[in-house]
Short mmCIF file of all heavy atoms in Angstrom, two decimals:
data_model
loop_
_atom_site.label_atom_id
_atom_site.label_comp_id
_atom_site.label_asym_id
_atom_site.label_seq_id
_atom_site.Cartn_x
_atom_site.Cartn_y
_atom_site.Cartn_z
N GLU P 14 124.33 14.06 -76.18
CA GLU P 14 124.03 15.44 -75.82
C GLU P 14 122.89 15.98 -76.68
O GLU P 14 122.00 16.69 -76.20
CB GLU P 14 125.28 16.32 -75.98
CG GLU P 14 126.33 16.12 -74.89
CD GLU P 14 127.15 14.85 -75.06
OE1 GLU P 14 126.96 14.13 -76.07
OE2 GLU P 14 127.98 14.57 -74.18
N ARG P 15 122.89 15.62 -77.96
CA ARG P 15 121.81 16.08 -78.85
C ARG P 15 120.48 15.43 -78.48
O ARG P 15 119.44 16.11 -78.42
CB ARG P 15 122.16 15.75 -80.30
CG ARG P 15 123.20 16.65 -80.93
CD ARG P 15 123.13 16.51 -82.44
NE ARG P 15 121.82 16.90 -82.94
CZ ARG P 15 121.31 16.52 -84.11
NH1 ARG P 15 121.99 15.69 -84.89
NH2 ARG P 15 120.12 16.93 -84.51
N VAL P 16 120.48 14.13 -78.26
CA VAL P 16 119.24 13.45 -77.90
C VAL P 16 118.66 14.03 -76.62
O VAL P 16 117.46 14.33 -76.54
CB VAL P 16 119.48 11.93 -77.74
CG1 VAL P 16 118.23 11.24 -77.17
CG2 VAL P 16 119.85 11.30 -79.08
N LEU P 17 119.51 14.23 -75.63
CA LEU P 17 119.04 14.75 -74.34
C LEU P 17 118.54 16.18 -74.46
O LEU P 17 117.64 16.59 -73.72
CB LEU P 17 120.16 14.66 -73.30
CG LEU P 17 120.57 13.23 -72.91
CD1 LEU P 17 121.81 13.25 -72.03
CD2 LEU P 17 119.43 12.50 -72.20
N ALA P 18 119.10 16.94 -75.39
CA ALA P 18 118.69 18.33 -75.54
C ALA P 18 117.46 18.48 -76.44
O ALA P 18 116.64 19.38 -76.23
CB ALA P 18 119.85 19.15 -76.11
N GLU P 19 117.30 17.61 -77.44
CA GLU P 19 116.30 17.85 -78.47
C GLU P 19 115.09 16.93 -78.40
O GLU P 19 114.01 17.30 -78.88
CB GLU P 19 116.96 17.73 -79.86
CG GLU P 19 118.05 18.77 -80.08
CD GLU P 19 118.73 18.62 -81.44
OE1 GLU P 19 118.02 18.36 -82.43
OE2 GLU P 19 119.97 18.74 -81.50
N GLN P 20 115.24 15.73 -77.86
CA GLN P 20 114.05 14.89 -77.68
C GLN P 20 113.37 15.29 -76.37
O GLN P 20 114.04 15.51 -75.35
CB GLN P 20 114.43 13.41 -77.69
CG GLN P 20 114.90 12.92 -79.06
CD GLN P 20 114.69 11.44 -79.25
OE1 GLN P 20 113.91 10.78 -78.56
NE2 GLN P 20 115.40 10.89 -80.22
N SER P 21 112.05 15.36 -76.38
CA SER P 21 111.33 15.91 -75.23
C SER P 21 111.34 14.98 -74.02
O SER P 21 111.35 15.44 -72.88
CB SER P 21 109.88 16.21 -75.63
OG SER P 21 109.24 15.05 -76.15
N GLU P 22 111.32 13.67 -74.24
CA GLU P 22 111.39 12.68 -73.15
C GLU P 22 112.41 11.63 -73.56
O GLU P 22 112.05 10.51 -73.92
CB GLU P 22 110.02 12.06 -72.88
CG GLU P 22 109.00 12.99 -72.25
CD GLU P 22 109.42 13.47 -70.87
OE1 GLU P 22 110.30 12.82 -70.26
OE2 GLU P 22 108.87 14.48 -70.40
N PRO P 23 113.70 11.96 -73.53
CA PRO P 23 114.72 11.06 -74.07
C PRO P 23 114.71 9.69 -73.41
O PRO P 23 114.70 9.58 -72.19
CB PRO P 23 116.03 11.81 -73.80
CG PRO P 23 115.70 12.84 -72.75
CD PRO P 23 114.28 13.21 -72.98
N HIS P 24 114.73 8.67 -74.25
CA HIS P 24 114.65 7.28 -73.81
C HIS P 24 115.97 6.58 -74.08
O HIS P 24 116.67 6.89 -75.04
CB HIS P 24 113.53 6.57 -74.56
CG HIS P 24 113.14 5.25 -73.97
ND1 HIS P 24 113.86 4.09 -74.22
CD2 HIS P 24 112.12 4.89 -73.15
CE1 HIS P 24 113.30 3.08 -73.58
NE2 HIS P 24 112.24 3.53 -72.92
N PHE P 25 116.29 5.60 -73.22
CA PHE P 25 117.58 4.92 -73.37
C PHE P 25 117.70 4.17 -74.70
O PHE P 25 118.80 3.87 -75.15
CB PHE P 25 117.85 3.99 -72.19
CG PHE P 25 116.93 2.80 -72.07
CD1 PHE P 25 117.15 1.65 -72.82
CD2 PHE P 25 115.87 2.80 -71.16
CE1 PHE P 25 116.32 0.55 -72.70
CE2 PHE P 25 115.05 1.69 -71.03
CZ PHE P 25 115.26 0.56 -71.81
N MET P 26 116.57 3.85 -75.36
CA MET P 26 116.65 3.18 -76.65
C MET P 26 117.14 4.12 -77.75
O MET P 26 117.44 3.67 -78.87
CB MET P 26 115.29 2.59 -77.04
CG MET P 26 114.92 1.37 -76.24
SD MET P 26 113.42 0.58 -76.85
CE MET P 26 113.36 -0.86 -75.78
N GLN P 27 117.24 5.40 -77.44
CA GLN P 27 117.81 6.37 -78.36
C GLN P 27 119.22 6.77 -77.95
O GLN P 27 119.80 7.69 -78.51
CB GLN P 27 116.91 7.60 -78.45
CG GLN P 27 115.60 7.36 -79.18
CD GLN P 27 115.80 7.08 -80.67
OE1 GLN P 27 116.49 7.82 -81.35
NE2 GLN P 27 115.21 6.00 -81.17
N SER P 28 119.79 6.06 -76.98
CA SER P 28 121.12 6.38 -76.49
C SER P 28 122.20 5.64 -77.27
O SER P 28 121.94 4.63 -77.94
CB SER P 28 121.25 5.98 -75.00
OG SER P 28 121.30 4.56 -74.87
N SER P 29 123.43 6.13 -77.17
CA SER P 29 124.55 5.46 -77.82
C SER P 29 124.80 4.08 -77.21
O SER P 29 125.32 3.18 -77.87
CB SER P 29 125.81 6.32 -77.72
OG SER P 29 126.17 6.52 -76.37
N THR P 30 124.44 3.91 -75.94
CA THR P 30 124.61 2.60 -75.30
C THR P 30 123.72 1.57 -75.98
O THR P 30 124.16 0.47 -76.33
CB THR P 30 124.27 2.68 -73.81
OG1 THR P 30 124.99 3.75 -73.20
CG2 THR P 30 124.64 1.38 -73.11
N TRP P 31 122.46 1.90 -76.17
CA TRP P 31 121.53 0.97 -76.82
C TRP P 31 121.91 0.77 -78.29
O TRP P 31 121.80 -0.34 -78.83
CB TRP P 31 120.10 1.48 -76.70
CG TRP P 31 119.06 0.44 -76.98
CD1 TRP P 31 118.26 0.37 -78.07
CD2 TRP P 31 118.69 -0.67 -76.15
NE1 TRP P 31 117.42 -0.72 -77.99
CE2 TRP P 31 117.66 -1.37 -76.81
CE3 TRP P 31 119.15 -1.13 -74.92
CZ2 TRP P 31 117.08 -2.51 -76.27
CZ3 TRP P 31 118.56 -2.27 -74.38
CH2 TRP P 31 117.53 -2.94 -75.05
N GLU P 32 122.37 1.83 -78.92
CA GLU P 32 122.83 1.74 -80.31
C GLU P 32 123.92 0.68 -80.43
O GLU P 32 123.90 -0.16 -81.35
CB GLU P 32 123.35 3.10 -80.75
CG GLU P 32 123.93 3.14 -82.15
CD GLU P 32 124.54 4.49 -82.48
OE1 GLU P 32 124.98 5.19 -81.54
OE2 GLU P 32 124.60 4.83 -83.68
N ARG P 33 124.86 0.69 -79.51
CA ARG P 33 125.96 -0.27 -79.53
C ARG P 33 125.46 -1.69 -79.22
O ARG P 33 125.86 -2.66 -79.88
CB ARG P 33 127.01 0.15 -78.51
CG ARG P 33 128.27 -0.68 -78.52
CD ARG P 33 129.33 -0.08 -77.61
NE ARG P 33 129.00 -0.13 -76.20
CZ ARG P 33 128.69 0.92 -75.45
NH1 ARG P 33 128.66 2.15 -75.99
NH2 ARG P 33 128.41 0.79 -74.17
N LEU P 34 124.58 -1.80 -78.25
CA LEU P 34 124.04 -3.11 -77.88
C LEU P 34 123.27 -3.75 -79.02
O LEU P 34 123.43 -4.94 -79.31
CB LEU P 34 123.12 -2.98 -76.66
CG LEU P 34 123.77 -2.96 -75.29
CD1 LEU P 34 122.82 -2.42 -74.25
CD2 LEU P 34 124.21 -4.38 -74.91
N ARG P 35 122.42 -2.98 -79.67
CA ARG P 35 121.56 -3.52 -80.72
C ARG P 35 122.35 -3.91 -81.96
O ARG P 35 121.91 -4.74 -82.75
CB ARG P 35 120.48 -2.52 -81.09
CG ARG P 35 119.50 -2.25 -79.99
CD ARG P 35 118.79 -3.51 -79.55
NE ARG P 35 117.58 -3.76 -80.31
CZ ARG P 35 116.82 -4.84 -80.16
NH1 ARG P 35 117.16 -5.78 -79.31
NH2 ARG P 35 115.73 -4.99 -80.87
N SER P 36 123.50 -3.29 -82.15
CA SER P 36 124.31 -3.62 -83.32
C SER P 36 125.04 -4.95 -83.16
O SER P 36 125.59 -5.48 -84.13
CB SER P 36 125.33 -2.50 -83.57
OG SER P 36 124.66 -1.28 -83.84
N ASP P 37 125.05 -5.48 -81.96
CA ASP P 37 125.72 -6.75 -81.68
C ASP P 37 124.70 -7.89 -81.74
O ASP P 37 124.42 -8.56 -80.76
CB ASP P 37 126.39 -6.70 -80.30
CG ASP P 37 127.19 -7.96 -80.00
OD1 ASP P 37 127.58 -8.65 -80.95
OD2 ASP P 37 127.43 -8.23 -78.81
N GLY P 38 124.11 -8.08 -82.92
CA GLY P 38 123.07 -9.08 -83.08
C GLY P 38 122.42 -8.95 -84.44
O GLY P 38 123.02 -8.43 -85.38
N PRO P 39 121.15 -9.37 -84.55
CA PRO P 39 120.47 -9.35 -85.86
C PRO P 39 120.06 -7.96 -86.33
O PRO P 39 119.71 -7.79 -87.50
CB PRO P 39 119.24 -10.24 -85.64
CG PRO P 39 118.96 -10.14 -84.16
CD PRO P 39 120.31 -10.02 -83.51
N TRP P 40 120.09 -6.99 -85.45
CA TRP P 40 119.70 -5.64 -85.83
C TRP P 40 120.91 -4.82 -86.26
O TRP P 40 122.01 -4.99 -85.75
CB TRP P 40 119.02 -4.93 -84.65
CG TRP P 40 117.68 -5.49 -84.31
CD1 TRP P 40 117.40 -6.50 -83.44
CD2 TRP P 40 116.42 -5.07 -84.85
NE1 TRP P 40 116.06 -6.74 -83.39
CE2 TRP P 40 115.42 -5.88 -84.24
CE3 TRP P 40 116.04 -4.09 -85.76
CZ2 TRP P 40 114.07 -5.73 -84.54
CZ3 TRP P 40 114.67 -3.95 -86.06
CH2 TRP P 40 113.72 -4.76 -85.45
N ARG P 41 120.68 -3.91 -87.20
CA ARG P 41 121.68 -2.92 -87.59
C ARG P 41 121.17 -1.55 -87.15
O ARG P 41 119.99 -1.25 -87.31
CB ARG P 41 121.88 -2.91 -89.11
CG ARG P 41 122.27 -4.26 -89.69
CD ARG P 41 122.50 -4.15 -91.20
NE ARG P 41 121.30 -3.73 -91.91
CZ ARG P 41 120.35 -4.53 -92.34
NH1 ARG P 41 120.43 -5.84 -92.09
NH2 ARG P 41 119.29 -4.07 -93.00
N SER P 42 122.03 -0.75 -86.60
CA SER P 42 121.60 0.57 -86.15
C SER P 42 122.25 1.65 -87.01
O SER P 42 123.36 1.49 -87.51
CB SER P 42 121.98 0.79 -84.68
OG SER P 42 123.37 0.69 -84.50
N ARG P 43 121.53 2.74 -87.19
CA ARG P 43 122.07 3.89 -87.90
C ARG P 43 121.37 5.15 -87.40
O ARG P 43 120.28 5.08 -86.82
CB ARG P 43 121.92 3.76 -89.41
CG ARG P 43 120.49 3.79 -89.93
CD ARG P 43 120.42 3.46 -91.40
NE ARG P 43 119.07 3.52 -91.91
CZ ARG P 43 118.54 4.57 -92.53
NH1 ARG P 43 119.28 5.67 -92.72
NH2 ARG P 43 117.31 4.55 -92.97
N ARG P 44 122.00 6.26 -87.63
CA ARG P 44 121.41 7.53 -87.23
C ARG P 44 120.67 8.12 -88.43
O ARG P 44 121.26 8.31 -89.48
CB ARG P 44 122.51 8.46 -86.72
CG ARG P 44 123.18 7.86 -85.49
CD ARG P 44 124.40 8.60 -85.02
NE ARG P 44 125.01 7.88 -83.88
CZ ARG P 44 126.01 8.32 -83.16
NH1 ARG P 44 126.58 9.49 -83.45
NH2 ARG P 44 126.47 7.60 -82.15
N LEU P 45 119.38 8.36 -88.25
CA LEU P 45 118.56 8.82 -89.37
C LEU P 45 119.13 10.12 -89.92
O LEU P 45 119.28 11.10 -89.17
CB LEU P 45 117.12 9.03 -88.89
CG LEU P 45 116.04 9.12 -89.98
CD1 LEU P 45 115.91 7.79 -90.71
CD2 LEU P 45 114.71 9.52 -89.37
N PRO P 46 119.48 10.16 -91.20
CA PRO P 46 120.09 11.37 -91.77
C PRO P 46 119.17 12.58 -91.63
O PRO P 46 117.94 12.48 -91.64
CB PRO P 46 120.30 11.00 -93.24
CG PRO P 46 120.39 9.51 -93.25
CD PRO P 46 119.42 9.06 -92.18
N GLU P 47 119.79 13.73 -91.50
CA GLU P 47 119.04 14.98 -91.42
C GLU P 47 118.63 15.43 -92.81
O GLU P 47 119.11 14.91 -93.83
CB GLU P 47 119.90 16.06 -90.74
CG GLU P 47 120.29 15.72 -89.31
CD GLU P 47 121.18 16.77 -88.69
OE1 GLU P 47 121.62 17.68 -89.41
OE2 GLU P 47 121.44 16.67 -87.47
#
Side-chain angles (χ1 to χ4, degrees):
E14 286 77 3
R15 284 198 60 202
V16 171
L17 293 172
E19 298 178 41
Q20 291 205 19
S21 56
E22 290 297 342
H24 193 279
F25 67 82
M26 287 187 176
Q27 289 292 310
S28 72
S29 62
T30 309
W31 197 251
E32 177 185 27
R33 186 172 68 250
L34 276 163
R35 294 301 271 176
S36 298
D37 184 22
W40 291 89
R41 303 182 299 274
S42 60
R43 67 188 181 97
R44 298 172 183 187
L45 197 66
E47 298 178 352

